[in-house]
Amino acid sequence: MDVQTNLLVLGIESSCDETGVALVQATVGTAGAAVPTLLAHALHSQIEMHQAYGGVVPELASRDHIRRVLPLTEAVLAEAARTLAEVDVIAYTRGPGLAGALLVGAGVACALGLALDKPVLGIHHLEGHLLSPFLSADPPQFPFVALLVSGGHTQLMRVDGVGQYQILGETIDDAAGEAFDKSAKLMGLGYPGGPALSRLAQQGDPMAFKLPRPLLHSGNLDFSFAGLKTAVMTQAKKLGNDLEVRKADLAASTQAAIVDVLVKKSLTALKETGLQRIVVAGGVGANSQLRAQLNAACQRLGVRVHYPELHLCTDNGAMIALAGAMRLQSGQQQAQRDYAFDVKPRWPLDAISAAA
Ligand code: KG4
Ligand code: ZN
């Protein structure tokens, strides 16, 4: 007979400049687990606080996580009409990310676990991003190709199941989000630059400037974006006083170069693996040009594309609670009553892969 247990998983995300808390409900048992349900989530973005400095200030990030995490937890529990005593497992982001920021979430999760006598689960931030499309109205099915594009990572992966991650290619220098952010900074668009650059690009001509498509024909699935940033800088300098009037064109051309490489490499990964499904996750997955071009290309090929809900593309607690729940469901990880936590600021995703 199947034994089914309902679990309430609290998730805490604090790896960078967003404090996220969420509660998901999951069925754990032998009878083919259903996708967990998101009951409530709350988020505080520190973007405004860091804007004055043009980027994330790690010490300020940690202090702000401390201020936000418990009020957000209370808000989530209130919204879900649950109490802390009803929570079964506490999942937190163990890495990668800013050490001090990670320690806040890990410390709070383990303190809560100890006080409530509930087990805890350290989650890989990128696994959270990777699994976040499972919370969308159109959840994927395994296996799939994943394009993980965030501020710190750009990877193509083959995903055969929870915890079964094979890296097919990754950036050898800057991440795609970094390329957006650094180019935006050069154009005086502030932080974080991705959304701002993307907005400005809507009014520009993507063909106006010829920018490099690094490693496009490298024959492998690796990326490189550092050269693009240099090319944008050179172009901006060349424009001099004209930069102001040509900024939208430069933004559109920069975005076109990044999106072009991401789409072409994704198509190559689909071809090489023979898979018929691709999942896009991470902050850059919110980019409308990337979505439009990938959708068009995949439609031509008869490949299904899945994205997280727009508000779950960037960092959030829901993806951490979800990843925790899915790891428990799949038996990949057991929640621990060991509260002597550590964090992993640098932590490759394939280090947690059962397939590695
Ligand atoms: O996944 P995420 O929230 O944080 C990391 O784990 O890194 O991603 C943040 C990144 C930033 O580089 C930001 O500029 C970029 O995602 N981003 C975008 C857009 N929205 C966020 N880049 C391009 N277009 C967007 N609409
Ligand atoms: Zn992230």
Side-chain angles (χ1 to χ4, degrees), residues 13 15-16 18 96 125-126 129 149-153 282-283 313-316 319:
E13 153 65 30
S15 66
C16 189
E18 259 109 20
H125 179 84
L126 295 181
H129 276 303
V149 272
S150 71
H153 294 84
C313 274
T314 42
D315 294 349
N316 63 82
M319 67 185 197

Side-chain angles (χ1 to χ4, degrees), residues 110-122:
C110 291
L112 281 176
L114 179 66
L116 299 166
D117 190 23
K118 297 289 163 68
V120 295
L121 206 54

Side-chain angles (χ1 to χ4, degrees), residues 62 127 247 276 332:
S62 310
E127 185 173 40
K247 221 188 239 183
Q276 295 293 310
Q332 287 287 331

Side-chain angles (χ1 to χ4, degrees), residues 149 180 194-195 197-199 201 255-256 258-259 262 280 282-293 307 310 313:
V149 272
F180 270 106
L197 191 146
S198 163
R199 262 194 309 278
Q255 176 172 261
I258 299 170
V259 167
L262 293 176
V280 182
V284 181
N287 186 272
S288 52
Q289 265 307 307
L290 174 63
R291 288 187 176 215
Q293 301 211 7
Y307 303 94
L310 259 187
C313 274

